[in-house]
């Protein structure tokens, strides 16, 4: 275990990303599957920075987005700052939304590992991340059409107009704010009925798959999945969507572009969806800040295309895993 590097990275995350102020009530929360060294590193950092620090660990749930135990829900709502390490994440639960509505700010590190914390937070220049993020926000905010080219001639297009561009740079701003460790991603909800075409997904599909191995092709009509082709990963992903019997699970909830220079394809969605220049399609539950039409659904799943060509109004923004802006 790289205990010193871990301590330094956790300290940076709590001080610079979560922006803990001395005297705040801090909850470090995890499920039982999470490495206790990681939990301790965050608790120790919060304590060293003057937080009134509490740790809660609850039994790992069989699936994501199950409501946490009542005591955890109450603690989430009571805290000024939550350092969330829960692996079977609860970001689309009522407990989470209530806590945020009440002013709790949350740094969510669901799925993060010791190695990822050191590489993707501890060793990354967050100031540069923010600079890249701000450039992308300007381009996507001013843009009308986003076009994504993948695979062997697949094209997916969508209209951006009128929807907020949400930069998750990994830094918490104020009460009720939510951001993720590691940073960073730019996300938005394109106009639903404008999302048409096909994308080759060569990175991840999670849940339930992880790294897809053999690429899958997903076709959309007016923002809904209408066909999934290719390999066992495609079949598994489609069956998982269908088993909810919830039409919203087939709908695009958000798009995202990743921008962490240290990220590599690992099969862990948290890292994969932050690959520089990747394109993410989220389906199902939609956070209210996207101002989309979808709202809450039974669950949520993301697809990652690793090295697409992304254009906004004809301008190449990213290509082959690099930004062109
Ligand atoms: Fe997502």
């Amino acid at each position: 275990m790289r205990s010193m590097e871990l301590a330094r990275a956790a300290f940076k995350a709590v001080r610079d990303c979560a922006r803990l102020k001395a005297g705040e009530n801090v909850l470090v929360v995890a499920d039982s599957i999470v490495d206790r060294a990681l939990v301790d590193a965050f608790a120790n950092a919060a304590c060293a920075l003057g937080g009134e620090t509490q740790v809660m660990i609850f039994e790992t749930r069989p699936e994501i987005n199950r409501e946490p135990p009542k005591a955890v829900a109450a603690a989430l709502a009571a805290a000024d700052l939550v350092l969330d390490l829960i692996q079977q994440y609860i970001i689309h639960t009522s407990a989470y939304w209530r806590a945020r509505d009440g002013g709790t700010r949350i740094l969510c590190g669901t799925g993060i590992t010791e190695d990822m914390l050191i590489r993707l937070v501890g060793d990354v220049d967050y100031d540069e991340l923010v600079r890249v993020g701000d450039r992308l926000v300007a381009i996507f905010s001013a843009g009308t059409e986003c076009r994504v080219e993948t695979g062997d001639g697949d094209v997916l297009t969508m209209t951006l107009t009128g929807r907020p561009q949400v930069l998750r740079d990994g830094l918490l701003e104020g009460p009720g704010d939510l951001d993720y460790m590691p940073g960073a991603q730019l996300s938005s909800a394109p106009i639903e009925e404008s999302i048409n075409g096909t994308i080759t997904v060569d990175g991840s599909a999670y849940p339930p798959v992880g790294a897809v191995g053999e690429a899958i092709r997903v076709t959309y009509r007016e923002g809904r999945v209408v066909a999934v082709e290719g390999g066992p990963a495609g079949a598994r992903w489609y069956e998982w969507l269908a088993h909810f019997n919830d039409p919203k699970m087939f709908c695009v909830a958000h798009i995202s572009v990743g921008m962490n220079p240290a990220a590599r394809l690992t099969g862990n969605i948290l890292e994969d969806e932050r690959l520089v220049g990747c394109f993410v399609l989220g389906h199902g539950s939609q956070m209210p800040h996207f101002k989309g039409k979808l709202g809450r659904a039974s669950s949520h799943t993301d697809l990652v295309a690793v090295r697409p060509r992304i254009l906004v109004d004809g301008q190449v923004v990213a290509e082959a895993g690099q930004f062109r802006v």
Side-chain angles (χ1 to χ4, degrees), residues 92 254 256 273 280-283 300-302:
H92 296 288
H254 69 85
S256 304
E273 67 181 3
V280 181
L281 283 155
H283 309 71
H300 186 90
T301 177
D302 293 298

Side-chain angles (χ1 to χ4, degrees), residues 220-233:
Y220 297 86
R221 192 176 306 138
E222 298 189 347
R224 290 178 51 85
V225 174
V226 292
V228 181
E229 301 166 65

Side-chain angles (χ1 to χ4, degrees), residues 124-142:
V124 164
D125 180 350
Y126 265 70
D127 292 337
E128 176 59 16
L129 270 192
V130 172
R131 277 193 289 275
V132 172
D134 287 344
R135 281 206 299 277
L136 291 180
V137 168
I139 292 167
F140 277 78
S141 297

Side-chain angles (χ1 to χ4, degrees), residues 258-283:
M259 60 185 82
N260 189 304
R264 53 185 192 235
L265 188 66
T266 62
N268 183 328
I269 192 73
L270 185 67
E271 179 159 1
D272 295 349
E273 67 181 3
R274 284 163 179 79
L275 288 158
V276 167
C278 77
F279 190 81
V280 181
L281 283 155
H283 309 71

